[in-house]
Amino acid sequence: MKKYLYPSLLVVFGLMAAAIFIFKKPAVRTPEFIERQGSLSAGKEWINTKAAIEGLLAKLRTNPDDQKSRLLLAQAYMQEGRVTGNHPYYDGAAMELLEQVLKSEPENFEALCCKASLCLTQHHFAQGLGLAEQARQLNPNSGFVYGLLTDANVEMGHYEEAIKMADKMNAVRPDLAAYARVSYLREIHGDMPGAIQAMDMAVKAGYIGLEQTEWTRVALGHLYEVSGDTARAHGNYLMALVVRPGYAYALAGLGRIAAAGKDYPKAIKLYQQARITVKDYAFADELTDLYRLSGQPAEADKMAKESIDMLADAAKEADSNEQMGHYADRELAYAYLKTNELDKALEHAKIEYERRPDNIDVNETMAWVLYKRGQYPEAQKYMQVARRTGSKNPVLLGRAGLILTKIGKTAEGQALIENSLKMAPYLNAEVEAEGKKLLAAR
């Protein structure tokens, strides 16, 4: 009997071990943070942020089912992506954490809002809108969710709905984020004084030195810049740098002011400093123009290629992953115009247009790409849609004027060009040069 007992026991133990292996709960992966570099690592803010993140990671190691800590870590990573510009890593890490929370708690309101916010950051606007609507069903009394709905509707070109959502946000909780959204809606509807007033309120509602407040102060500076008031723009950028030393977007703002004064070496230096601190395609894009304006075509071409490579990598990731990866086709369309690859520019402009045909910025992109290809009547169709909210953005007006002159509406086109050049000719060197050339030929 015994000779059969031991093999039987071995079989039983083997089956038990296999069952443990098969049914064992898999370990939940928690993405680690990346140490900040350079000026971003200086000061108490990073010390406090790092300590908070390390504390959350420690809690999750002790208790992998702590969804509250997982959600807080996702929010911290979203903010790190914003501060450092390292969206490819931190947005992916935050999304991974949020998916873990939502798997355990499918109706977690905060997690749904964070996921919607991440989708908007990655330019997955339709998905972000759907998630924000889902979150609103769970909590219709949250100001934050109405902010998400404002942003998503703006990006999808649903401007009347965006205004309703912004009004609800301000009714629930008027704060920095609410005032900033009102400012943008006023701006795209042509009310520049009202936009400046609302953004000024947003700045005053924030805590001086925090990234969100100084981002808002830079946005206020840019509104002054677009209005032609470079002195006030300059003052806001300087203030942001005083209270948040090394802030990349303030450095870029000062770079634009230097470029407006034709001081291209200074502008290039400021943008280079901004790029060292934060990974943002826009800095490389601006540097492309600055190198060209300063008579450095080889550097301009190099920077243009770098811009395209950055955007193409993001677009490729987005195509292979419905949830993550930055949709960058609109930016790619402009980038390919700078390398005179007009077919590729049109290809990407069309891809973006298919996603959101009602958005005014997307229609402006289509119009400008078609203008550069010499398809003027077709360009005008898109430009009409781009101008439907009454925006007074000088670049938009200049482009609209150039297109109108090409289809025979000379007086109307020249008036728009003159208005654009009078307001802020420095905003777009290409539009400025073409506009001046056309007016000189009258």
Side-chain angles (χ1 to χ4, degrees):
M1 184 78 178
K2 284 186 179 179
K3 66 179 179 179
Y4 299 111
L5 177 61
Y6 294 117
S8 298
L9 287 173
L10 287 173
V11 170
V12 170
F13 287 136
L15 290 171
M16 289 175 63
I20 291 170
F21 177 79
I22 292 169
F23 295 106
K24 181 183 177 183
K25 190 175 181 180
V28 179
R29 193 186 89 90
T30 301
E32 297 291 328
F33 71 94
I34 299 172
E35 288 279 354
R36 289 189 192 177
Q37 302 296 320
S39 62
L40 289 177
S41 63
K44 291 183 179 179
E45 182 186 275
W46 174 233
I47 294 172
N48 294 335
T49 299
K50 182 179 176 180
I53 290 174
E54 287 176 337
L56 292 169
L57 288 168
K59 285 183 178 181
L60 287 169
R61 282 192 291 269
T62 302
N63 179 13
D65 294 325
D66 183 353
Q67 303 304 338
K68 181 62 177 177
S69 292
R70 184 167 282 110
L71 177 58
L72 289 172
L73 184 61
Q75 293 169 340
Y77 283 175
M78 289 169 68
Q79 182 62 16
E80 277 302 288
R82 180 183 171 100
V83 170
T84 64
N86 191 0
H87 287 287
Y89 176 76
Y90 277 117
D91 287 0
M95 185 64 84
E96 184 177 342
L97 292 164
L98 291 171
E99 290 291 2
Q100 292 167 6
V101 174
L102 288 168
K103 184 178 180 180
S104 175
E105 303 172 6
E107 293 193 344
N108 186 307
F109 171 76
E110 287 186 72
L112 282 171
C113 285
C114 288
K115 186 175 178 181
S117 181
L118 271 179
C119 288
L120 296 179
T121 298
Q122 294 289 315
H123 291 190
H124 294 229
F125 299 121
Q127 186 181 4
L129 178 58
L131 286 164
E133 287 285 6
Q134 186 180 344
R136 178 169 62 162
Q137 297 300 315
L138 295 171
N139 182 3
N141 300 311
S142 163
F144 183 67
V145 79
Y146 286 115
L148 294 171
L149 287 166
T150 301
D151 296 341
N153 278 295
V154 163
E155 297 297 348
M156 294 303 294
H158 309 156
Y159 299 106
E160 290 184 7
E161 186 65 18
I163 291 170
K164 292 177 185 176
M165 295 300 101
D167 286 344
K168 287 188 176 182
M169 185 182 189
N170 278 272
V172 172
R173 184 177 179 178
D175 58 7
L176 179 152
Y179 296 141
R181 285 169 170 90
V182 169
S183 175
Y184 181 67
L185 285 166
R186 288 177 177 178
E187 179 189 358
I188 64 176
H189 284 87
D191 180 9
M192 195 59 72
I196 288 172
Q197 178 192 40
M199 196 64 80
D200 184 58
M201 291 171 67
V203 172
K204 289 173 180 173
Y207 292 97
I208 292 175
L210 286 183
E211 194 277 336
Q212 295 92 327
T213 306
E214 300 320 312
W215 183 93
T216 307
R217 196 187 308 279
V218 168
L220 176 60
H222 189 58
L223 287 174
Y224 280 122
E225 205 179 325
V226 171
S227 303
D229 192 342
T230 53
R232 281 196 175 93
H234 186 259
N236 276 280
Y237 299 144
L238 279 180
M239 178 64 179
L241 278 175
V242 168
V243 297
R244 193 173 179 85
Y247 189 45
Y249 297 101
L251 288 169
L254 290 176
R256 287 195 302 273
I257 299 300
K262 312 286 186 194
D263 189 349
Y264 300 126
K266 181 179 179 181
I268 288 170
K269 183 177 179 180
L270 286 162
Y271 267 100
Q272 287 173 335
Q273 288 177 317
R275 286 190 77 219
I276 290 170
T277 307
V278 170
K279 299 174 183 179
D280 193 321
Y281 137 80
F283 298 154
D285 181 64
E286 293 281 355
L287 275 168
T288 300
D289 294 335
L290 289 170
Y291 282 129
R292 197 154 279 139
L293 289 166
S294 64
Q296 301 179 65
E299 286 297 321
D301 291 343
K302 178 182 174 182
M303 195 56 59
K305 185 179 183 306
E306 187 173 324
S307 297
I308 288 171
D309 288 344
M310 288 172 66
L311 292 168
D313 286 345
K316 184 178 179 181
E317 182 184 353
D319 289 338
S320 62
N321 184 343
E322 281 188 17
Q323 284 201 143
M324 291 303 297
H326 185 86
Y327 282 146
D329 292 287
R330 178 169 171 262
E331 294 88 344
L332 271 169
Y334 283 119
Y336 279 122
L337 286 181
K338 292 183 180 182
T339 58
N340 203 35
E341 296 176 82
L342 302 185
D343 289 344
K344 288 183 178 180
L346 182 60
E347 175 191 344
H348 286 282
K350 283 182 174 179
I351 291 171
E352 191 64 39
Y353 182 80
E354 287 296 317
R355 290 194 191 108
R356 43 196 189 120
D358 297 324
N359 179 273
I360 57 174
D361 296 324
V362 174
N363 277 275
E364 181 184 359
T365 304
M366 280 292 296
W368 191 240
V369 170
L370 290 165
Y371 169 82
K372 299 302 285 185
R373 291 170 62 88
Q375 298 171 246
Y376 306 125
E378 190 72 8
Q380 174 59 10
K381 293 177 185 177
Y382 291 99
M383 185 54 77
Q384 284 179 314
V385 179
R387 296 185 63 202
R388 81 178 196 271
T389 61
S391 172
K392 293 183 174 64
N393 182 283
V395 177
L396 174 66
L397 296 182
R399 286 172 172 163
L402 288 167
I403 291 170
L404 284 169
T405 59
K406 294 293 186 180
I407 61 171
K409 297 186 177 182
T410 307
E412 185 182 354
Q414 289 178 347
L416 285 176
I417 293 168
E418 286 175 342
N419 191 3
S420 170
L421 294 176
K422 182 180 178 182
M423 195 183 309
Y426 45 79
L427 283 176
N428 187 294
E430 184 181 28
V431 172
E432 178 189 6
E434 291 198 34
K436 285 181 176 178
K437 182 179 178 181
L438 188 148
L439 293 177
R442 283 186 297 188

